[in-house]
Amino acid sequence: MLYLKKYFTEGLIQFTILLSLIGVRVDVDTYLSNQLPPLREIILGPSSAYTQTQFHNLRNTLDGYGIHPKSVDLDHFFTTRRLLNQVRQLDRLSVPSTELNTWLVHRDSETVVSTSSQSSITLDNGAGLEDVNNPDATPAMRGGSGAPESTYNLNAADSSLGAVAPEGNQEQGSRDGNDDLTKEDIDLIDILWRQDIDLGAGREVFNYSNRQKESEEEKPSPHENKDRNEEQESWRNGVNLQGAQPVDGETGESIPEQLPGIGSQTSLSLQECLRLLEATFPFGEESEFPAPVVTPEIVSNEEAPSTSQGLPLAPQLPPAEPQLDLEQQWQDIMAIMELQAMEVNNTSLQSNSSSVDGTSGTTESNPGGNFELSTGSTPVNQDVSLHQASLPSCSQDFPQMFNPQLDSISITPRTTMPRLSSSNSSNINSTFGATNLTGIFLPPHINSSSNNITSTPILPDPFSTLLEESMLDEISLLDLAMEEGFSQAQASQLEDELDSDSGLSLDSSHSPASPSSSETSCSSAASSSSTSATFSEEGAVGYSTDSEVATAETEEGAVGGYQPGYSKLCRMSYQDPSQFHGLPQLDGISHNHTYNLPLSSAFSEHPELPISTGKKTVRDKQHSKLQPHQDLLDKHASRDERRARAMKIPFSNEKIINLPVEEFNELLAKHHLSEAQLALIRDIRRRGKNKMAAQNCRKRKLDTIINLEQGVQDLRRDKARLLKEKMEFIRSLRQMKQKMQSLYQEVFTQLRDEEGRPYPPSEYSLQYSADGSVLITPRRDDCRAEP
DNA sequence: CCCGACTGTCATTGA
DNA sequence: CCTCAATGACAGTCG
């Protein structure tokens, strides 16, 4: 079974990949995340533990979701775990390939696009990361700002993106490996699916894999054809030409959902940027900020660029950071990619995030390698091509400044910030935060001579600091996020579930729906079988209402039916129907290992009984030898069942164990039983209940562990998401600063004194007052902290 | 034979 | 006081 399961699981994964390639999206994550318990079980493996919740079955059937984590059977649990791990590993493994593919694609497409369409834009800087990310955005930016094109060098950054492309081949190779599926594999997948469907799991379960597939598809497709790139873009945009719903790379959520979210994020980013600007700047009114205009532009434009960004990064990382685990790097990249995928709709966000991610990655692992790629661009983007794409704006703005200082840029910002802030030379400088800005901006030479090209503001110090801070954490976060796409809501659900965990509550803990479903499934399976009806009834007795128990009484014929046995039946039906069929004949065979205890052993347990020894099993074996004829009968019977039989107990162990106390006492009263029989019955009842309790307890433990694991994953994903948002905010802020700078320059250059002469930027600066007025004030020497 | 996993059982505790 | 569930600990079985 395990082998088959494993084999099927692998096949399913491949199948999901195929589906993703075809355009069908399967979101495994959602299921894994507990929302769809059945799927989760399928993926994890039909662990008996989930299937077994016998007791609760009756109660929870109404809930709709049957599978309960508490299920007594844990036998397949580890198997499921292993499968899940494999799936996750597949993600990781596939992810790199996918990323690589995307990178190549984007690169090619972007490079081509940038060169062709944006040739005018890409004036100079290799640093024009933004352009790469948002080629469209840059033009929009221009239009919005109204500043001269020369002032916006962002376009130049686009050209830099092209630099990143080398790894496309590798990606394709990896991808090819994933894609290879034989007909046999497909058949196996189909079989597995059927099984899964039978179990109640939907194909949606595989969304997670689909995401991977999608990513792979997207990436590879670009390689193949530019047209594909366009298709991918459409996907990202949330419009699936194929009809499949767009799904976030990270969470596997449908893009439509993300879009709104993205919009919200962008708005937030803008607000945050404004706040930051206000904090640094004396601006009285937000309206002055170009940001609002910029963000929308970015959003619209970024989609295509974002993908491209992702691609370049992947290639760079491997070569750049041999020291780091390739796996981890890939995971990071994957996480970034996922984040970008989620943000696909929001181009601006993607570009920002990508840039940030790249910077973070670079800072940690390979600053040098990244820099090489983005040498022209900002240092932040070093690691990841994505970063380059996003960051370029800054670099573009101040290519000259950065180029010499690439290495020190990350460091300098923090130090410079204080200086700038301290120096009140110009509010603008402080707002931009970057010393470079002050120098570049205000410095008369630069501004006057080559303001257009170089004037773009460098990332302000606050950005650098933020980036640096976030960057360090981002990688880890991204890795975490990579593992599973969890939404915050899911995470919260997990937490809630965990909180609610109690012995029985475990069911709910997994997922509101899952537990009930699992149980229902078990019950249904049991009911389906001929004998199942009795089992289900009695099995449920312990937890079910008395009325249910009463119905169970009809079964007395069954000798040994424990609830455990019932649970096993559920499992059996679930996992191996063939086994189940045999059970009915056995009449309530218990789940026990079928200790071959002799009848005498039963007595031993009771002090009253003649035999009382610690080692029951040994004696049992001996007795079994003595009484071979009973072995067959006892084979499938638990010790207590055998004891009961030996003691000639007139009713089944199942009743003894599951009947309510009242009914149990009545039952005892009906029959005239000896002390030994009564003692045995009580022991049977005690042990039977304790056995179930132990099973529940163990199941609960497992569920708790699983939930904790999921909670950790959710938290990681949330962290990654937050980091991405942070990066996006930073990017937006950066863009707003750039725009602000350009506007500042534009205004400043048009200012004339009484004599009609322009004010020298080195001597004068514009200051924004809280009331929104702008004043031109002489610049203090201190202000020019520039090198 | 050893080891790990699984399971049952016992004793205890608390509701 | 009884019943029951939960749980740690122990031991047996099995692969």
Side-chain angles (χ1 to χ4, degrees), chain A residues 45-67:
Chain A
S47 63
S48 59
Y50 292 98
T51 59
Q52 273 188 352
T53 56
Q54 327 104 343
F55 340 100
H56 306 284
N57 288 342
L58 294 176
R59 288 183 181 179
N60 294 340
T61 52
L62 296 176
D63 293 347
Y65 293 95
I67 296 168

mmCIF file with all atom_site columns, all heavy atoms in Angstrom, chain A residues 45-67:
data_model
loop_
_atom_site.group_PDB
_atom_site.id
_atom_site.type_symbol
_atom_site.label_atom_id
_atom_site.label_alt_id
_atom_site.label_comp_id
_atom_site.label_asym_id
_atom_site.label_entity_id
_atom_site.label_seq_id
_atom_site.pdbx_PDB_ins_code
_atom_site.Cartn_x
_atom_site.Cartn_y
_atom_site.Cartn_z
_atom_site.occupancy
_atom_site.B_iso_or_equiv
_atom_site.pdbx_formal_charge
_atom_site.auth_seq_id
_atom_site.auth_comp_id
_atom_site.auth_asym_id
_atom_site.auth_atom_id
_atom_site.pdbx_PDB_model_num
ATOM 1   N N   . GLY A 1 45 ? -1.688  11.740 2.506  1.00 0.00 ? 45 GLY A N   1
ATOM 2   C CA  . GLY A 1 45 ? -1.817  10.299 2.498  1.00 0.00 ? 45 GLY A CA  1
ATOM 3   C C   . GLY A 1 45 ? -3.010  9.991  3.344  1.00 0.00 ? 45 GLY A C   1
ATOM 4   O O   . GLY A 1 45 ? -3.279  10.690 4.294  1.00 0.00 ? 45 GLY A O   1
ATOM 5   N N   . PRO A 1 46 ? -3.740  8.985  2.977  1.00 0.00 ? 46 PRO A N   1
ATOM 6   C CA  . PRO A 1 46 ? -4.934  8.649  3.742  1.00 0.00 ? 46 PRO A CA  1
ATOM 7   C C   . PRO A 1 46 ? -4.530  8.095  5.072  1.00 0.00 ? 46 PRO A C   1
ATOM 8   O O   . PRO A 1 46 ? -4.723  6.914  5.340  1.00 0.00 ? 46 PRO A O   1
ATOM 9   C CB  . PRO A 1 46 ? -5.620  7.602  2.881  1.00 0.00 ? 46 PRO A CB  1
ATOM 10  C CG  . PRO A 1 46 ? -4.504  6.973  2.136  1.00 0.00 ? 46 PRO A CG  1
ATOM 11  C CD  . PRO A 1 46 ? -3.440  8.022  1.968  1.00 0.00 ? 46 PRO A CD  1
ATOM 12  N N   . SER A 1 47 ? -3.953  8.901  5.877  1.00 0.00 ? 47 SER A N   1
ATOM 13  C CA  . SER A 1 47 ? -3.489  8.381  7.143  1.00 0.00 ? 47 SER A CA  1
ATOM 14  C C   . SER A 1 47 ? -4.666  7.811  7.894  1.00 0.00 ? 47 SER A C   1
ATOM 15  O O   . SER A 1 47 ? -5.730  8.392  7.943  1.00 0.00 ? 47 SER A O   1
ATOM 16  C CB  . SER A 1 47 ? -2.872  9.493  7.964  1.00 0.00 ? 47 SER A CB  1
ATOM 17  O OG  . SER A 1 47 ? -3.837  10.450 8.259  1.00 0.00 ? 47 SER A OG  1
ATOM 18  N N   . SER A 1 48 ? -4.437  6.696  8.458  1.00 0.00 ? 48 SER A N   1
ATOM 19  C CA  . SER A 1 48 ? -5.512  6.061  9.190  1.00 0.00 ? 48 SER A CA  1
ATOM 20  C C   . SER A 1 48 ? -5.964  6.978  10.294 1.00 0.00 ? 48 SER A C   1
ATOM 21  O O   . SER A 1 48 ? -7.112  7.023  10.661 1.00 0.00 ? 48 SER A O   1
ATOM 22  C CB  . SER A 1 48 ? -5.015  4.768  9.803  1.00 0.00 ? 48 SER A CB  1
ATOM 23  O OG  . SER A 1 48 ? -3.945  5.051  10.668 1.00 0.00 ? 48 SER A OG  1
ATOM 24  N N   . ALA A 1 49 ? -5.018  7.708  10.800 1.00 0.00 ? 49 ALA A N   1
ATOM 25  C CA  . ALA A 1 49 ? -5.354  8.584  11.902 1.00 0.00 ? 49 ALA A CA  1
ATOM 26  C C   . ALA A 1 49 ? -6.508  9.476  11.533 1.00 0.00 ? 49 ALA A C   1
ATOM 27  O O   . ALA A 1 49 ? -7.421  9.687  12.307 1.00 0.00 ? 49 ALA A O   1
ATOM 28  C CB  . ALA A 1 49 ? -4.160  9.445  12.277 1.00 0.00 ? 49 ALA A CB  1
ATOM 29  N N   . TYR A 1 50 ? -6.477  9.982  10.320 1.00 0.00 ? 50 TYR A N   1
ATOM 30  C CA  . TYR A 1 50 ? -7.541  10.899 9.952  1.00 0.00 ? 50 TYR A CA  1
ATOM 31  C C   . TYR A 1 50 ? -8.831  10.146 9.715  1.00 0.00 ? 50 TYR A C   1
ATOM 32  O O   . TYR A 1 50 ? -9.900  10.644 9.972  1.00 0.00 ? 50 TYR A O   1
ATOM 33  C CB  . TYR A 1 50 ? -7.172  11.646 8.680  1.00 0.00 ? 50 TYR A CB  1
ATOM 34  C CG  . TYR A 1 50 ? -6.046  12.567 8.927  1.00 0.00 ? 50 TYR A CG  1
ATOM 35  C CD1 . TYR A 1 50 ? -4.755  12.200 8.609  1.00 0.00 ? 50 TYR A CD1 1
ATOM 36  C CD2 . TYR A 1 50 ? -6.271  13.788 9.529  1.00 0.00 ? 50 TYR A CD2 1
ATOM 37  C CE1 . TYR A 1 50 ? -3.723  13.045 8.866  1.00 0.00 ? 50 TYR A CE1 1
ATOM 38  C CE2 . TYR A 1 50 ? -5.233  14.631 9.795  1.00 0.00 ? 50 TYR A CE2 1
ATOM 39  C CZ  . TYR A 1 50 ? -3.965  14.263 9.459  1.00 0.00 ? 50 TYR A CZ  1
ATOM 40  O OH  . TYR A 1 50 ? -2.936  15.086 9.715  1.00 0.00 ? 50 TYR A OH  1
ATOM 41  N N   . THR A 1 51 ? -8.676  8.976  9.202  1.00 0.00 ? 51 THR A N   1
ATOM 42  C CA  . THR A 1 51 ? -9.881  8.277  8.818  1.00 0.00 ? 51 THR A CA  1
ATOM 43  C C   . THR A 1 51 ? -10.602 7.712  10.009 1.00 0.00 ? 51 THR A C   1
ATOM 44  O O   . THR A 1 51 ? -11.779 7.436  9.942  1.00 0.00 ? 51 THR A O   1
ATOM 45  C CB  . THR A 1 51 ? -9.532  7.124  7.897  1.00 0.00 ? 51 THR A CB  1
ATOM 46  O OG1 . THR A 1 51 ? -8.643  6.265  8.581  1.00 0.00 ? 51 THR A OG1 1
ATOM 47  C CG2 . THR A 1 51 ? -8.892  7.641  6.645  1.00 0.00 ? 51 THR A CG2 1
ATOM 48  N N   . GLN A 1 52 ? -9.942  7.533  11.067 1.00 0.00 ? 52 GLN A N   1
ATOM 49  C CA  . GLN A 1 52 ? -10.537 6.696  12.075 1.00 0.00 ? 52 GLN A CA  1
ATOM 50  C C   . GLN A 1 52 ? -11.507 7.311  13.031 1.00 0.00 ? 52 GLN A C   1
ATOM 51  O O   . GLN A 1 52 ? -12.060 6.595  13.816 1.00 0.00 ? 52 GLN A O   1
ATOM 52  C CB  . GLN A 1 52 ? -9.454  6.111  12.947 1.00 0.00 ? 52 GLN A CB  1
ATOM 53  C CG  . GLN A 1 52 ? -8.936  4.854  12.365 1.00 0.00 ? 52 GLN A CG  1
ATOM 54  C CD  . GLN A 1 52 ? -8.042  4.212  13.303 1.00 0.00 ? 52 GLN A CD  1
ATOM 55  O OE1 . GLN A 1 52 ? -7.716  4.799  14.320 1.00 0.00 ? 52 GLN A OE1 1
ATOM 56  N NE2 . GLN A 1 52 ? -7.639  3.025  13.024 1.00 0.00 ? 52 GLN A NE2 1
ATOM 57  N N   . THR A 1 53 ? -11.704 8.511  13.068 1.00 0.00 ? 53 THR A N   1
ATOM 58  C CA  . THR A 1 53 ? -12.476 9.051  14.170 1.00 0.00 ? 53 THR A CA  1
ATOM 59  C C   . THR A 1 53 ? -13.816 8.377  14.279 1.00 0.00 ? 53 THR A C   1
ATOM 60  O O   . THR A 1 53 ? -14.830 8.903  13.880 1.00 0.00 ? 53 THR A O   1
ATOM 61  C CB  . THR A 1 53 ? -12.742 10.513 13.925 1.00 0.00 ? 53 THR A CB  1
ATOM 62  O OG1 . THR A 1 53 ? -13.374 10.553 12.649 1.00 0.00 ? 53 THR A OG1 1
ATOM 63  C CG2 . THR A 1 53 ? -11.474 11.257 13.907 1.00 0.00 ? 53 THR A CG2 1
ATOM 64  N N   . GLN A 1 54 ? -13.833 7.241  14.867 1.00 0.00 ? 54 GLN A N   1
ATOM 65  C CA  . GLN A 1 54 ? -15.094 6.503  14.909 1.00 0.00 ? 54 GLN A CA  1
ATOM 66  C C   . GLN A 1 54 ? -16.072 7.209  15.815 1.00 0.00 ? 54 GLN A C   1
ATOM 67  O O   . GLN A 1 54 ? -17.229 7.379  15.486 1.00 0.00 ? 54 GLN A O   1
ATOM 68  C CB  . GLN A 1 54 ? -14.866 5.121  15.489 1.00 0.00 ? 54 GLN A CB  1
ATOM 69  C CG  . GLN A 1 54 ? -13.539 4.568  15.154 1.00 0.00 ? 54 GLN A CG  1
ATOM 70  C CD  . GLN A 1 54 ? -12.631 4.629  16.312 1.00 0.00 ? 54 GLN A CD  1
ATOM 71  O OE1 . GLN A 1 54 ? -12.895 5.359  17.239 1.00 0.00 ? 54 GLN A OE1 1
ATOM 72  N NE2 . GLN A 1 54 ? -11.588 3.869  16.286 1.00 0.00 ? 54 GLN A NE2 1
ATOM 73  N N   . PHE A 1 55 ? -15.594 7.536  16.963 1.00 0.00 ? 55 PHE A N   1
ATOM 74  C CA  . PHE A 1 55 ? -16.520 8.008  17.984 1.00 0.00 ? 55 PHE A CA  1
ATOM 75  C C   . PHE A 1 55 ? -17.299 9.188  17.472 1.00 0.00 ? 55 PHE A C   1
ATOM 76  O O   . PHE A 1 55 ? -18.495 9.303  17.632 1.00 0.00 ? 55 PHE A O   1
ATOM 77  C CB  . PHE A 1 55 ? -15.765 8.446  19.216 1.00 0.00 ? 55 PHE A CB  1
ATOM 78  C CG  . PHE A 1 55 ? -14.405 7.860  19.261 1.00 0.00 ? 55 PHE A CG  1
ATOM 79  C CD1 . PHE A 1 55 ? -13.329 8.619  18.870 1.00 0.00 ? 55 PHE A CD1 1
ATOM 80  C CD2 . PHE A 1 55 ? -14.209 6.545  19.646 1.00 0.00 ? 55 PHE A CD2 1
ATOM 81  C CE1 . PHE A 1 55 ? -12.077 8.092  18.920 1.00 0.00 ? 55 PHE A CE1 1
ATOM 82  C CE2 . PHE A 1 55 ? -12.953 6.029  19.689 1.00 0.00 ? 55 PHE A CE2 1
ATOM 83  C CZ  . PHE A 1 55 ? -11.885 6.787  19.342 1.00 0.00 ? 55 PHE A CZ  1
ATOM 84  N N   . HIS A 1 56 ? -16.586 10.055 16.870 1.00 0.00 ? 56 HIS A N   1
ATOM 85  C CA  . HIS A 1 56 ? -17.218 11.314 16.498 1.00 0.00 ? 56 HIS A CA  1
ATOM 86  C C   . HIS A 1 56 ? -18.005 11.183 15.224 1.00 0.00 ? 56 HIS A C   1
ATOM 87  O O   . HIS A 1 56 ? -18.703 12.094 14.850 1.00 0.00 ? 56 HIS A O   1
ATOM 88  C CB  . HIS A 1 56 ? -16.151 12.376 16.311 1.00 0.00 ? 56 HIS A CB  1
ATOM 89  C CG  . HIS A 1 56 ? -15.279 12.487 17.489 1.00 0.00 ? 56 HIS A CG  1
ATOM 90  N ND1 . HIS A 1 56 ? -15.674 13.102 18.634 1.00 0.00 ? 56 HIS A ND1 1
ATOM 91  C CD2 . HIS A 1 56 ? -14.044 12.017 17.713 1.00 0.00 ? 56 HIS A CD2 1
ATOM 92  C CE1 . HIS A 1 56 ? -14.690 13.032 19.510 1.00 0.00 ? 56 HIS A CE1 1
ATOM 93  N NE2 . HIS A 1 56 ? -13.707 12.391 18.970 1.00 0.00 ? 56 HIS A NE2 1
ATOM 94  N N   . ASN A 1 57 ? -17.866 10.080 14.590 1.00 0.00 ? 57 ASN A N   1
ATOM 95  C CA  . ASN A 1 57 ? -18.465 10.018 13.278 1.00 0.00 ? 57 ASN A CA  1
ATOM 96  C C   . ASN A 1 57 ? -19.919 10.394 13.324 1.00 0.00 ? 57 ASN A C   1
ATOM 97  O O   . ASN A 1 57 ? -20.392 11.206 12.555 1.00 0.00 ? 57 ASN A O   1
ATOM 98  C CB  . ASN A 1 57 ? -18.347 8.607  12.721 1.00 0.00 ? 57 ASN A CB  1
ATOM 99  C CG  . ASN A 1 57 ? -16.931 8.341  12.344 1.00 0.00 ? 57 ASN A CG  1
ATOM 100 O OD1 . ASN A 1 57 ? -16.164 9.273  12.195 1.00 0.00 ? 57 ASN A OD1 1
ATOM 101 N ND2 . ASN A 1 57 ? -16.574 7.100  12.188 1.00 0.00 ? 57 ASN A ND2 1
ATOM 102 N N   . LEU A 1 58 ? -20.640 9.770  14.216 1.00 0.00 ? 58 LEU A N   1
ATOM 103 C CA  . LEU A 1 58 ? -22.065 10.031 14.258 1.00 0.00 ? 58 LEU A CA  1
ATOM 104 C C   . LEU A 1 58 ? -22.318 11.495 14.534 1.00 0.00 ? 58 LEU A C   1
ATOM 105 O O   . LEU A 1 58 ? -23.143 12.129 13.909 1.00 0.00 ? 58 LEU A O   1
ATOM 106 C CB  . LEU A 1 58 ? -22.706 9.176  15.335 1.00 0.00 ? 58 LEU A CB  1
ATOM 107 C CG  . LEU A 1 58 ? -22.621 7.693  15.002 1.00 0.00 ? 58 LEU A CG  1
ATOM 108 C CD1 . LEU A 1 58 ? -23.182 6.894  16.146 1.00 0.00 ? 58 LEU A CD1 1
ATOM 109 C CD2 . LEU A 1 58 ? -23.334 7.396  13.697 1.00 0.00 ? 58 LEU A CD2 1
ATOM 110 N N   . ARG A 1 59 ? -21.597 12.013 15.452 1.00 0.00 ? 59 ARG A N   1
ATOM 111 C CA  . ARG A 1 59 ? -21.833 13.401 15.806 1.00 0.00 ? 59 ARG A CA  1
ATOM 112 C C   . ARG A 1 59 ? -21.494 14.322 14.655 1.00 0.00 ? 59 ARG A C   1
ATOM 113 O O   . ARG A 1 59 ? -22.221 15.229 14.325 1.00 0.00 ? 59 ARG A O   1
ATOM 114 C CB  . ARG A 1 59 ? -20.956 13.815 16.995 1.00 0.00 ? 59 ARG A CB  1
ATOM 115 C CG  . ARG A 1 59 ? -21.404 13.211 18.290 1.00 0.00 ? 59 ARG A CG  1
ATOM 116 C CD  . ARG A 1 59 ? -20.531 13.724 19.386 1.00 0.00 ? 59 ARG A CD  1
ATOM 117 N NE  . ARG A 1 59 ? -20.891 13.172 20.678 1.00 0.00 ? 59 ARG A NE  1
ATOM 118 C CZ  . ARG A 1 59 ? -20.242 13.467 21.781 1.00 0.00 ? 59 ARG A CZ  1
ATOM 119 N NH1 . ARG A 1 59 ? -19.231 14.297 21.746 1.00 0.00 ? 59 ARG A NH1 1
ATOM 120 N NH2 . ARG A 1 59 ? -20.603 12.930 22.925 1.00 0.00 ? 59 ARG A NH2 1
ATOM 121 N N   . ASN A 1 60 ? -20.375 14.073 14.086 1.00 0.00 ? 60 ASN A N   1
ATOM 122 C CA  . ASN A 1 60 ? -19.859 15.059 13.154 1.00 0.00 ? 60 ASN A CA  1
ATOM 123 C C   . ASN A 1 60 ? -20.346 14.869 11.743 1.00 0.00 ? 60 ASN A C   1
ATOM 124 O O   . ASN A 1 60 ? -20.003 15.641 10.876 1.00 0.00 ? 60 ASN A O   1
ATOM 125 C CB  . ASN A 1 60 ? -18.337 15.019 13.168 1.00 0.00 ? 60 ASN A CB  1
ATOM 126 C CG  . ASN A 1 60 ? -17.829 15.472 14.506 1.00 0.00 ? 60 ASN A CG  1
ATOM 127 O OD1 . ASN A 1 60 ? -18.545 16.138 15.242 1.00 0.00 ? 60 ASN A OD1 1
ATOM 128 N ND2 . ASN A 1 60 ? -16.613 15.104 14.825 1.00 0.00 ? 60 ASN A ND2 1
ATOM 129 N N   . THR A 1 61 ? -21.064 13.831 11.513 1.00 0.00 ? 61 THR A N   1
ATOM 130 C CA  . THR A 1 61 ? -21.476 13.611 10.144 1.00 0.00 ? 61 THR A CA  1
ATOM 131 C C   . THR A 1 61 ? -22.172 14.837 9.600  1.00 0.00 ? 61 THR A C   1
ATOM 132 O O   . THR A 1 61 ? -22.045 15.164 8.439  1.00 0.00 ? 61 THR A O   1
ATOM 133 C CB  . THR A 1 61 ? -22.454 12.445 10.079 1.00 0.00 ? 61 THR A CB  1
ATOM 134 O OG1 . THR A 1 61 ? -23.496 12.684 11.023 1.00 0.00 ? 61 THR A OG1 1
ATOM 135 C CG2 . THR A 1 61 ? -21.758 11.144 10.385 1.00 0.00 ? 61 THR A CG2 1
ATOM 136 N N   . LEU A 1 62 ? -22.886 15.509 10.438 1.00 0.00 ? 62 LEU A N   1
ATOM 137 C CA  . LEU A 1 62 ? -23.611 16.668 9.964  1.00 0.00 ? 62 LEU A CA  1
ATOM 138 C C   . LEU A 1 62 ? -22.662 17.746 9.502  1.00 0.00 ? 62 LEU A C   1
ATOM 139 O O   . LEU A 1 62 ? -22.999 18.544 8.642  1.00 0.00 ? 62 LEU A O   1
ATOM 140 C CB  . LEU A 1 62 ? -24.503 17.200 11.092 1.00 0.00 ? 62 LEU A CB  1
ATOM 141 C CG  . LEU A 1 62 ? -25.579 16.218 11.511 1.00 0.00 ? 62 LEU A CG  1
ATOM 142 C CD1 . LEU A 1 62 ? -26.352 16.772 12.682 1.00 0.00 ? 62 LEU A CD1 1
ATOM 143 C CD2 . LEU A 1 62 ? -26.493 15.885 10.345 1.00 0.00 ? 62 LEU A CD2 1
ATOM 144 N N   . ASP A 1 63 ? -21.515 17.773 10.069 1.00 0.00 ? 63 ASP A N   1
ATOM 145 C CA  . ASP A 1 63 ? -20.607 18.867 9.751  1.00 0.00 ? 63 ASP A CA  1
ATOM 146 C C   . ASP A 1 63 ? -20.263 18.884 8.288  1.00 0.00 ? 63 ASP A C   1
ATOM 147 O O   . ASP A 1 63 ? -19.994 19.921 7.737  1.00 0.00 ? 63 ASP A O   1
ATOM 148 C CB  . ASP A 1 63 ? -19.323 18.745 10.564 1.00 0.00 ? 63 ASP A CB  1
ATOM 149 C CG  . ASP A 1 63 ? -19.634 18.951 12.014 1.00 0.00 ? 63 ASP A CG  1
ATOM 150 O OD1 . ASP A 1 63 ? -20.760 19.426 12.304 1.00 0.00 ? 63 ASP A OD1 1
ATOM 151 O OD2 . ASP A 1 63 ? -18.801 18.641 12.832 1.00 0.00 ? 63 ASP A OD2 1
ATOM 152 N N   . GLY A 1 64 ? -20.253 17.749 7.698  1.00 0.00 ? 64 GLY A N   1
ATOM 153 C CA  . GLY A 1 64 ? -19.931 17.719 6.281  1.00 0.00 ? 64 GLY A CA  1
ATOM 154 C C   . GLY A 1 64 ? -18.521 17.254 6.052  1.00 0.00 ? 64 GLY A C   1
ATOM 155 O O   . GLY A 1 64 ? -18.261 16.433 5.191  1.00 0.00 ? 64 GLY A O   1
ATOM 156 N N   . TYR A 1 65 ? -17.609 17.740 6.811  1.00 0.00 ? 65 TYR A N   1
ATOM 157 C CA  . TYR A 1 65 ? -16.231 17.283 6.613  1.00 0.00 ? 65 TYR A CA  1
ATOM 158 C C   . TYR A 1 65 ? -15.954 16.172 7.593  1.00 0.00 ? 65 TYR A C   1
ATOM 159 O O   . TYR A 1 65 ? -16.078 16.340 8.781  1.00 0.00 ? 65 TYR A O   1
ATOM 160 C CB  . TYR A 1 65 ? -15.251 18.407 6.826  1.00 0.00 ? 65 TYR A CB  1
ATOM 161 C CG  . TYR A 1 65 ? -15.389 19.437 5.779  1.00 0.00 ? 65 TYR A CG  1
ATOM 162 C CD1 . TYR A 1 65 ? -16.186 20.544 5.999  1.00 0.00 ? 65 TYR A CD1 1
ATOM 163 C CD2 . TYR A 1 65 ? -14.762 19.301 4.563  1.00 0.00 ? 65 TYR A CD2 1
ATOM 164 C CE1 . TYR A 1 65 ? -16.335 21.500 5.042  1.00 0.00 ? 65 TYR A CE1 1
ATOM 165 C CE2 . TYR A 1 65 ? -14.914 20.258 3.598  1.00 0.00 ? 65 TYR A CE2 1
ATOM 166 C CZ  . TYR A 1 65 ? -15.701 21.363 3.852  1.00 0.00 ? 65 TYR A CZ  1
ATOM 167 O OH  . TYR A 1 65 ? -15.840 22.309 2.892  1.00 0.00 ? 65 TYR A OH  1
ATOM 168 N N   . GLY A 1 66 ? -15.548 15.084 7.072  1.00 0.00 ? 66 GLY A N   1
ATOM 169 C CA  . GLY A 1 66 ? -15.444 13.919 7.913  1.00 0.00 ? 66 GLY A CA  1
ATOM 170 C C   . GLY A 1 66 ? -14.087 13.689 8.490  1.00 0.00 ? 66 GLY A C   1
ATOM 171 O O   . GLY A 1 66 ? -13.955 13.260 9.617  1.00 0.00 ? 66 GLY A O   1
ATOM 172 N N   . ILE A 1 67 ? -13.077 13.916 7.769  1.00 0.00 ? 67 ILE A N   1
ATOM 173 C CA  . ILE A 1 67 ? -11.782 13.422 8.201  1.00 0.00 ? 67 ILE A CA  1
ATOM 174 C C   . ILE A 1 67 ? -11.356 14.127 9.462  1.00 0.00 ? 67 ILE A C   1
ATOM 175 O O   . ILE A 1 67 ? -11.299 15.332 9.530  1.00 0.00 ? 67 ILE A O   1
ATOM 176 C CB  . ILE A 1 67 ? -10.753 13.639 7.123  1.00 0.00 ? 67 ILE A CB  1
ATOM 177 C CG1 . ILE A 1 67 ? -11.158 12.799 5.929  1.00 0.00 ? 67 ILE A CG1 1
ATOM 178 C CG2 . ILE A 1 67 ? -9.396  13.233 7.630  1.00 0.00 ? 67 ILE A CG2 1
ATOM 179 C CD1 . ILE A 1 67 ? -10.378 13.151 4.696  1.00 0.00 ? 67 ILE A CD1 1
#
